DNA sequence: ATCATTGCAAACACTTTGCATACGC
DNA sequence: GCGTATGCAAAGTGTTTGCAATGAT
């Protein structure tokens, strides 16, 4: 399965971070670039392993710190579709996620039937939601 | 907020476990009883802390083991609505969950608009799903 | 010069594993 | 008696914390 990986230039990424008042350090720019170019719902470790090749001094602490900063600003979203690991998604368009129990692949699902437009339910104010689907993906069927 | 806590007797619980070919040990019965009488989405630790009072020799390993056995049989479901802890739910009726960002309380949501009846989406076969809502609950508003 | 970011190492929390003991049919 | 369940202790994993060094303005 291929995912489109649009290219982003550094100037563009700097502007994104500055828009959130985040200092655009080299590490942060690279992590943001990774997330935007690889919308494959990576774990912290996947991001670290990839970027450590390009930034030999990179520490995992920085990846953790940076993801926390991005999360706090809403630049990325944390996914717990697999109960035993956290993944990160820079895809801002609202969508659901599907995880294949067999191959482990996580797919984005943009079907409208899985999107809600709700402010309140049972009297509770809803500000965010996630829909996680599981099963067997089309490639494994 | 009060949750209904129907009482279950041991004979009844034994039958449930035997129906799944699970040996109904004292620990397993007590853990199942806890889950059925307190549908409050407890963590492993909450279950352990409560039952350790009644079973002083209880170990957390047994709680972990037992939850894994129940999960494998589909007696309970694992919830990752909070990305940083796992909770368990013995409520078999399909429903969504809402977590209040302020008080941390997790509510069951039975609204039909949050239930799907889907076999396939984008060509993937869906066998299970979870809907996690977040926001401010009616008591905190 | 000052303040923020980075990165190492240590600490932490949670979960799993290995194994000896105890239990149940 | 044999196979399973339990529970302790140790190991493992992922994440956070403390702090000194570095970097940016």
């Amino acid at each position: 399965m291929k995912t489109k990986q649009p290219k982003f230039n550094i100037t563009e990424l700097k502007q994104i971070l500055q828009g959130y008042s985040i200092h655009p350090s080299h590490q942060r720019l690279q992590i943001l670039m990774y997330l935007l170019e690889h919308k494959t719902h990576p774990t912290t470790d996947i991001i670290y392993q990839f970027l450590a090749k390009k930034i030999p001094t990179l520490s995992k602490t920085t990846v953790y710190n940076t993801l926390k900063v991005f999360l706090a600003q809403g630049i990325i979203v944390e996914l717990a579709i697999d109960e035993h690991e956290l993944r990160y998604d820079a895809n801002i368009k609202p969508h659901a996620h599907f995880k294949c129990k067999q191959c482990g692949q996580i797919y984005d699902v943009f079907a409208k039937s899985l999107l809600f437009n709700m402010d309140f339910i049972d009297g509770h104010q809803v500000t965010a939601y996630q829909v996680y689907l599981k099963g067997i993906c089309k490639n494994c069927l």
Side-chain angles (χ1 to χ4, degrees), chain A residues 94-99 107-112 114-115 131 133:
Chain A
H95 62 288
H97 291 93
F98 173 93
K99 172 156 184 163
Y107 298 82
D108 289 324
V109 177
F110 293 95
K112 285 208 196 89
L114 297 177
L115 299 180
V131 176
L133 308 167

Side-chain angles (χ1 to χ4, degrees), chain A residues 17-129:
Chain A
L17 292 187
Q18 281 164 346
Y20 288 100
S21 305
I22 297 170
H23 180 97
S25 71
H26 181 223
Q27 287 84 338
R28 287 171 175 171
L29 287 168
Q30 289 299 313
I31 292 170
L32 179 61
M33 183 180 289
Y34 183 85
L35 287 164
L36 289 173
E37 294 190 351
H38 305 77
K39 291 191 176 169
T40 50
H41 323 95
T43 60
T44 304
D45 194 59
I46 290 170
I47 300 168
Y48 170 74
Q49 296 300 338
F50 181 90
L51 289 179
K53 294 180 216 150
K54 310 179 72 174
I55 315 170
T57 62
L58 182 67
S59 85
K60 232 176 198 178
T61 304
T62 297
V63 180
Y64 279 113
N65 287 342
T66 300
L67 292 174
K68 206 171 284 179
V69 169
F70 289 178
L71 261 179
Q73 298 301 321
I75 300 174
I76 59 174
V77 153
E78 206 166 26
L79 302 182
I81 186 170
D82 180 314
E83 291 79 4
H84 301 285
E85 61 184 12
L86 288 175
R87 294 176 168 271
Y88 297 90
D89 191 350
N91 204 335
I92 22 59
K93 277 180 288 181
H95 62 288
H97 291 93
F98 173 93
K99 172 156 184 163
C100 177
K101 289 177 180 180
Q102 199 160 315
C103 66
Q105 178 72 239
I106 295 172
Y107 298 82
D108 289 324
V109 177
F110 293 95
K112 285 208 196 89
S113 56
L114 297 177
L115 299 180
F116 320 120
N117 198 352
M118 55 173 48
D119 291 336
F120 287 90
I121 189 119
D122 291 2
H124 312 307
Q125 184 178 23
V126 179
T127 56
Y129 68 89

